[in-house]
Amino acid sequence: QSALTQPPSASGSPGQSVTISCTGTSGDIGGYNYVSWYQHHPGKAPKLMIYEVTRRPSGVPDRFSGSRSGNTASLTVSGLQAEDEADYYCSSYAGGNNFAVFGGGTKLTVL
Amino acid sequence: QVQLVDSGGGVVQPGTSLRLSCAASGFIFRNYAMYWVRQAPGKGLEWVAVISYDGRNEYYADFVEGRFTISRDNSKNMLFLQMNNLRVEDTGFFYCARPNYDILTGLEYWGQGTLVTVSS
């Protein structure tokens, strides 16, 4: 069982917006500003899309945005494109020596 | 540009050992903490271990249970993961990864992964 809870799947049509949730506890998502989101195309290296809850690394389109409310973080992808179809994972620092807990992943399908 | 190249994976029997390597280039290796993350077949990403920039501090996920050792050679820009007493459930892709800037920020750079298969 994953430490963070994500829906197994999400979908949207090209041009639409989709939001993926990631639920944790006050000991991880709700307690620290170290929430990250990763895009993973099978067979490739994961790609950092969001770090520190809302920040985007250089080169990541502003169609991707992160937010948090309480113990739940969210990734929103606006203006869906075919290449956005991938698995998305959330991650958070969980305190002490627990440097990263991941969600189980959400498979995003662009219809 | 930043490049991480994982190697050392293979097919091994339960109870045996394997040493993974990660060759880093394109950045000042000694300035960054480094991670190992794995993905079992059909499963999600899972943090394995992290080592401080100077190699003085190591931290492991609970499932490691003393079987793995992360290390680094800053003179050669290399990261290692020594895995002993391997179990069938350790099967998966292992990735080395570098944080964005601080040890707790997101993992911005990843190797391509090296496949470890533990099977009798």
Side-chain angles (χ1 to χ4, degrees):
Chain A
Q1 187 173 357
S2 300
L4 305 178
T5 301
Q6 297 181 235
S9 63
S11 63
S13 299
Q16 289 187 332
S17 293
V18 64
T19 296
I20 299 171
S21 64
C22 173
T23 302
T25 69
S26 59
D28 38 65
I29 289 178
Y32 305 95
N33 292 327
Y34 293 114
V35 177
S36 302
W37 288 91
Y38 300 90
Q39 178 190 69
H40 192 198
H41 290 103
K44 293 191 172 183
K47 179 181 179 181
L48 179 67
M49 305 304 285
I50 297 289
Y51 68 102
E52 294 177 358
V53 184
T54 61
R55 302 179 70 178
R56 267 188 315 275
S58 174
V60 172
D62 60 6
R63 303 186 294 104
F64 292 84
S65 62
S67 63
R68 179 181 56 189
S69 177
N71 298 333
T72 297
S74 298
L75 173 73
T76 298
V77 186
S78 305
L80 272 174
Q81 300 181 4
E83 59 262 34
D84 298 334
E85 186 163 294
D87 296 321
Y88 289 84
Y89 294 90
C90 60
S91 176
S92 175
Y93 174 60
N97 294 338
N98 197 348
F99 280 77
V101 292
F102 283 90
T106 298
K107 182 176 181 58
L108 174 62
T109 301
V110 180
L111 302 170
Chain B
Q1 69 280 20
V2 173
Q3 191 170 14
L4 300 171
V5 179
D6 305 312
S7 63
V11 181
V12 297
Q13 292 189 331
T16 61
S17 299
L18 208 55
R19 189 194 198 204
L20 307 184
S21 299
C22 171
S25 60
F27 65 102
I28 303 174
F29 181 71
R30 64 180 181 271
N31 286 355
Y32 292 87
M34 293 294 295
Y35 283 72
W36 286 101
V37 175
R38 73 179 186 182
Q39 184 176 34
K43 303 291 186 180
L45 300 174
E46 184 174 38
W47 169 61
V48 177
V50 61
I51 187 168
S52 61
Y53 70 97
D54 57 2
R56 292 186 177 184
N57 298 293
E58 310 157 25
Y59 306 95
Y60 300 91
D62 289 344
F63 71 82
V64 169
E65 297 179 340
R67 300 178 299 128
F68 299 174
T69 302
I70 188 173
S71 62
R72 65 191 297 158
D73 184 341
N74 283 348
S75 69
K76 297 181 179 178
N77 293 349
M78 294 291 296
L79 176 73
F80 305 101
L81 185 68
Q82 176 67 42
M83 303 188 293
N84 299 328
N85 192 20
L86 282 162
R87 304 167 179 167
V88 171
E89 54 265 36
D90 293 320
T91 293
F93 275 97
F94 282 72
Y95 300 91
C96 67
R98 196 208 88 176
N100 182 289
Y101 61 94
D102 180 79
I103 192 171
L104 292 180
T105 58
L107 300 175
E108 186 169 13
Y109 298 98
W110 295 67
Q112 82 286 358
T114 186
L115 179 60
V116 173
T117 302
V118 185
S119 174
S120 55

